[in-house]
Amino acid sequence: MTTLTLHDLAKKMAGIDFTMLQTFADNGEIAGRPMSNNGDVDYDGDSWFFSLDSTDMVRELQAEPKVALSFTGSKGLLGKPPLFVFVQGKARIVRDKEVMREHWQKSLERWFEQGVDTPGLVLIHVHAHRIHYWDGEDQGEIQV
């Protein structure tokens, strides 16, 4: 078992764009959907995702903020499995336009044409408290 620091893990995660964000649905089941980190990859235990406040996901997060994120790298070195990262955390909905601007990327206009002024736009902030990773044949856990 290897012990990576959060900084070391962040370097390895930098190339992973998408995660599966998992929430608790209204019926108690687990729901998941792919979310992009929008190039916001200087990972410090915080993840940021844009969405619309009218989505089931936002409603689920408001009812139960406990979430999970799962990241998978595209390939490993020398035939080893890729990097896998599982994050347990707590989500909060951010409506502050200044905070949104800090995390905004021009490419998001594909989905949100009016930028941070898109009606109903929210920023989902997930703060990790436990991270488990598998990197080839190594694995470890980081408490944040």
Side-chain angles (χ1 to χ4, degrees), residues 1-105:
M1 187 175 210
T2 302
T3 305
L4 292 177
T5 66
L6 187 56
H7 178 74
D8 294 336
L9 183 59
K11 284 185 192 176
K12 292 177 176 280
M13 291 174 66
I16 303 174
D17 183 21
F18 285 92
T19 184
M20 287 297 290
L21 171 60
Q22 297 143 40
T23 60
F24 289 98
D26 294 339
N27 63 3
E29 296 291 327
I30 297 171
R33 71 278 296 155
M35 300 294 287
S36 173
N37 64 27
N38 309 312
D40 205 348
V41 295
D42 188 17
Y43 193 69
D44 59 0
D46 291 322
S47 298
W48 304 88
F49 309 103
F50 284 92
S51 186
L52 295 173
D53 62 5
S54 59
T55 63
D56 289 339
M57 176 179 53
V58 170
R59 189 180 68 254
E60 292 164 2
L61 292 172
Q62 290 172 327
E64 174 54 72
K66 292 178 186 173
V67 298
L69 303 172
S70 57
F71 298 86
T72 304
S74 61
K75 60 184 174 181
L77 293 175
L78 304 173
K80 290 184 179 181
L83 173 67
F84 297 93
V85 181
F86 181 76
V87 175
Q88 290 174 304
K90 187 172 182 179
R92 69 181 177 94
I93 306 301
V94 177
R95 290 183 166 77
D96 183 323
K97 300 283 189 203
E98 287 305 313
V99 176
M100 288 183 193
R101 283 184 187 90
E102 292 173 20
H103 297 280
W104 187 258
Q105 300 290 325

